[in-house]
Amino acid sequence: MNPTTGTSVEPAGAPRPARRAVLRTVFTAVVIAGTGGALAPVLLQGHGSTERIQERDAVGPERFSELYKGREIKGTATSVVAAGARPDAGEAGAVAAAPGIDVRVDGRPLHVMERADGSYLSAVNHYESFPTLLETARAAVDDLGTAQLSSLSPHTI
């Protein structure tokens, strides 16, 4: 600082960051931190659901049969392998196993679909997903009340 005029004196040729560059750097850092904070719950939630699916698959196919609120519910989930698939073919000839889901309420079929995250939803309660077939069947019984499912499947080939 120059004591006589009160102004700062900088050595000639010394690079000084422009105010605009400093503000751009600060803004970029804030945007990156905000994006990371917003995406953290989504990324952490996806990791937990994968662990739940692996736990369920480690136990084996899901099977249940019980009397729930006076209604008999039965269900199974198995893997169905396409005809002609050879287990010794290795990865080159590997065919993905498709899930075979059969859920019945009082002997009548309940249409159940598996979602990409491994949870299930039914035709009766198709706006909510459930982690297991048993919970899906129970929710369908809760929504049905005293009504019966149709004895014919609407989707036949």
Side-chain angles (χ1 to χ4, degrees), residues 71-107:
R71 310 287 289 268
E72 179 187 17
I73 55 176
K74 292 183 178 183
T76 59
T78 58
S79 294
V80 178
V81 180
R86 295 184 3 228
D88 60 339
E91 284 195 30
V95 177
I101 300 171
D102 182 34
V103 177
R104 296 186 177 268
V105 177
D106 293 333

Side-chain angles (χ1 to χ4, degrees), residues 28-68:
T28 303
V30 168
V31 168
I32 290 172
T35 303
L39 290 178
V42 174
L43 295 175
L44 294 175
Q45 178 189 14
H47 181 66
S49 64
T50 304
E51 289 174 358
R52 186 180 67 224
I53 292 167
Q54 289 172 347
E55 282 179 18
R56 186 180 69 214
D57 290 344
V59 172
E62 187 175 355
R63 298 184 198 290
F64 60 89
S65 177
E66 73 174 27
L67 193 62
Y68 179 72

Side-chain angles (χ1 to χ4, degrees), residues 152-157:
L152 298 175
S153 173
H155 302 289
T156 56
I157 296 176

Side-chain angles (χ1 to χ4, degrees), residues 85-151:
R86 295 184 3 228
D88 60 339
E91 284 195 30
V95 177
I101 300 171
D102 182 34
V103 177
R104 296 186 177 268
V105 177
D106 293 333
R108 296 177 180 216
L110 172 67
H111 184 69
V112 176
M113 297 165 282
E114 185 174 11
R115 295 175 40 129
D117 65 356
S119 61
Y120 300 97
L121 57 92
S122 72
V124 173
N125 193 346
H126 57 273
Y127 290 114
E128 187 175 1
S129 60
F130 303 93
T132 65
L133 282 176
L134 179 60
E135 291 180 40
T136 306
R138 287 177 178 169
V141 168
D142 291 341
D143 285 351
L144 283 171
T146 60
Q148 289 287 325
L149 288 170
S150 172
S151 60

